[in-house]
Amino acid sequence: MTCEYSVQGHAISDLAARFGTPLYVYDGDILREVYGSLRERLHPGMDIFYSVKANPNISICAVLRSLGAGLEVSSLAELETARRAGAAPGNIVFLGPGKSAEELDACLQLGVHAIVCESLDELAALDARQQPVRVLLRVNPSFTTKGARLSMGGTPQQFGIDQDVLFQSGQFIEELRHVTVAGIHAYMGTRLLSSSDIVHNTRGILEVAGKLSVELDFELRTVDIGGGLGVPYFDNETDLDLDALAEGLNDTVDDFRTRHPGCRLITELGRYLTGWCGMYVIRARYVKQSMGEWFVVADGGTNHHMAAVGIGSFVKRNFPVRSLTRYEEPAVQRYNIAGPLCAPGDVVAKQVSLPEIRPGDLLGVERSGAYGPTASPGLFLSHGYPAEVLVLDGVAHLVRRRDTVADLLGKQQLISL
Ligand SMILES: *Cc1c(COP(=O)(O)O)cnc(C)c1O
């Protein structure tokens, strides 16, 4: 008995027939559920911003914006995405270690909530524009962030300004004429799965923010704490405990708000908000054996899902992979799932136990709604980027059409020979 996977009543085979494969499918119910369950637990005084880089699809951003999320952006196109997704300028922050003059102009013109400054030279350059502007100082904290798979604090890095440098920059900041330092930004790193680590990091950042505002003599109006909340992908990982997180965090937030009543608190999250809702759907083209191992060769692979290659580990760990055609059937065989690229690294999963896979079957990589196509080498071997579909309130919307050959070749020039 085959029982296929479906999204809000749409059989996956129907979606695949209608939109083609490879395909990203986002379940709007899950997107809303994840945001809602976080929102209802987090202290109401903590604003949630969505880090657009995790999934910059404009419709995904619009859904999150409609739920109340602000947007954190890092390029001109992301800023325009935020604008078109309906974000009020006061709910947009712009950051990045190497902003262009054009990007700064656009921020000033739109009047974003804040520009996050990542070096003293950038502060000086902004001040030289002689326009009033509100900035957050991105601090690279001296304490080591706990629990991040990719630490972005307490290590040498291109982001932000080292904490001890900031503490000695009182004079420099006092001399700024047009720039208003309105607060502090810190990003702790990504893929945090332990609530106690997140609480530890957040407390550390709030403490540093308080001390900096005293030492550098500015009023703390915003503290933006980069989230980095994780989604478990691998066998040895477990879900982040939201209740424990809220319990540990909300007292800290209460305490901070008592001491800084006018201060806006923001947490920026990417992966956690969109990771759960996305499925990368591929179709098996061939199933073959090589030297005793079974290989499924599918129509899409790491060109659209680079993260599945393995994040920061030497051991190959698999994302959750399922047969979508035989969703409920028991596993009978171990397979390597390869894509169409002429590259040995194009393997989405190794030795995964699955029900029998036949050519034409659909396979899905779950929890793939963050850092998917836009974080993957979609132009490698010129297959282009896949279609993306958002199922919202029972309706399947094509939210990005698949790249065509014309799209891929359109920007090239053939010189005359
Ligand atoms: C990437 C990034 C985020 C989002 O990180 P996630 O791990 O996806 O939550 C937040 N803030 C900054 C500064 C980032 O660079």
Side-chain angles (χ1 to χ4, degrees):
M1 190 21 237
T2 62
C3 181
E4 71 173 305
Y5 176 78
S6 66
V7 185
Q8 295 181 34
H10 295 273
I12 196 70
S13 56
D14 289 345
L15 292 176
R18 189 168 150 205
F19 301 106
T21 54
L23 173 71
Y24 269 85
V25 178
Y26 308 117
D27 185 336
D29 281 353
I30 298 177
L31 183 62
R32 284 186 178 140
E33 217 172 279
V34 167
Y35 183 88
S37 60
L38 184 66
R39 183 64 283 173
E40 75 185 16
R41 284 173 178 80
L42 266 193
H43 194 294
M46 177 81 103
D47 289 347
I48 298 175
F49 272 48
Y50 173 54
S51 297
V52 170
K53 80 166 184 272
N55 185 329
N57 188 279
I58 208 159
S59 293
I60 296 277
C61 293
V63 171
L64 287 169
R65 199 276 309 153
S66 76
L67 297 173
L71 296 173
E72 174 255 296
V73 300
S74 296
S75 65
L76 268 189
E78 285 192 355
L79 184 63
E80 181 63 12
T81 298
R83 222 184 50 73
R84 291 197 202 172
N91 282 328
I92 299 174
V93 297
F94 195 106
L95 61 79
K99 302 172 198 74
S100 69
E102 210 182 348
E103 287 164 348
L104 293 175
D105 284 340
C107 288
L108 289 170
Q109 203 181 349
L110 192 61
V112 297
H113 173 65
I115 296 174
V116 177
C117 273
E118 309 226 14
S119 66
L120 296 179
D121 286 347
E122 187 180 48
L123 278 170
L126 256 182
D127 205 48
R129 292 170 163 257
Q130 309 197 345
Q131 285 184 65
V133 57
R134 201 171 36 240
V135 307
L136 306 181
L137 303 174
R138 179 166 181 177
V139 56
N140 175 22
S142 303
F143 69 90
T144 325
T145 49
K146 269 189 164 178
R149 302 302 192 283
L150 202 76
S151 174
M152 302 195 37
T155 55
Q157 56 181 266
Q158 72 269 45
F159 307 109
I161 308 166
D162 288 353
Q163 179 178 326
D164 49 3
V165 172
L166 262 187
F167 271 111
Q168 281 153 34
S169 304
Q171 174 89 23
F172 180 91
I173 284 165
E174 196 183 315
E175 284 169 8
L176 296 170
R177 307 246 322 271
H178 307 279
V179 167
T180 305
V181 174
I184 295 296
H185 172 282
Y187 177 59
M188 306 184 287
T190 192
R191 300 191 59 229
L192 298 151
L193 286 167
S194 147
S195 58
S196 60
D197 288 346
I198 297 166
V199 172
H200 165 90
N201 294 335
T202 306
R203 284 194 185 135
I205 288 163
L206 290 177
E207 197 185 313
V208 170
K211 283 186 185 158
L212 279 169
S213 81
V214 172
E215 191 68 30
L216 304 183
D217 194 25
F218 63 87
E219 196 185 330
L220 208 50
R221 300 216 182 99
T222 301
V223 178
D224 182 349
I225 302 163
L229 273 54
V231 170
Y233 297 129
F234 310 126
D235 279 347
N236 59 340
E237 296 178 333
T238 49
D239 289 16
L240 180 62
D241 183 341
L242 277 192
D243 289 319
L245 178 67
E247 196 180 320
L249 223 47
N250 291 350
D251 284 349
T252 306
V253 171
D254 257 339
D255 182 51
F256 182 82
R257 284 172 62 83
T258 312
R259 281 182 288 121
H260 305 272
C263 182
R264 181 181 197 185
L265 275 177
I266 294 173
T267 183
E268 287 164 8
L269 300 173
R271 188 186 315 273
Y272 190 80
L273 295 181
T274 57
W276 292 95
C277 74
M279 173 89 81
Y280 178 45
V281 181
I282 53 182
R283 194 184 288 283
R285 285 204 172 125
Y286 299 99
V287 181
K288 66 192 205 184
Q289 255 188 318
S290 168
M291 298 193 171
E293 291 189 18
W294 282 99
F295 285 81
V296 175
V297 182
D299 58 2
T302 57
N303 50 330
H304 303 151
H305 200 318
M306 193 62 186
V309 169
I311 315 170
S313 68
F314 295 101
V315 187
K316 171 75 179 175
R317 297 207 190 103
N318 295 316
F319 263 62
V321 175
R322 304 283 299 252
S323 164
L324 302 181
T325 300
R326 293 160 224 283
Y327 196 63
E328 314 248 282
E329 289 185 19
V332 295
Q333 186 67 260
R334 282 178 185 275
Y335 292 98
N336 299 311
I337 314 292
L341 305 187
C342 306
D346 187 22
V347 176
V348 172
K350 274 191 181 152
Q351 295 294 302
V352 272
S353 295
L354 292 170
E356 189 195 347
I357 305 295
R358 297 183 203 155
D361 282 4
L362 295 168
L363 296 160
V365 186
E366 297 176 308
R367 303 183 188 179
S368 296
Y371 303 106
T374 62
S376 302
L379 300 180
F380 193 35
L381 280 112
S382 301
H383 288 286
Y385 286 92
E388 295 175 63
V389 167
L390 169 63
V391 186
L392 197 67
D393 298 322
V395 181
H397 303 270
L398 180 66
V399 293
R400 190 186 194 282
R401 70 167 170 79
R402 176 181 315 287
D403 283 355
T404 62
V405 172
D407 291 329
L408 291 162
L409 297 185
K411 286 185 197 149
Q412 298 188 38
Q413 288 293 333
L414 179 62
I415 57 168
S416 40
L417 296 170

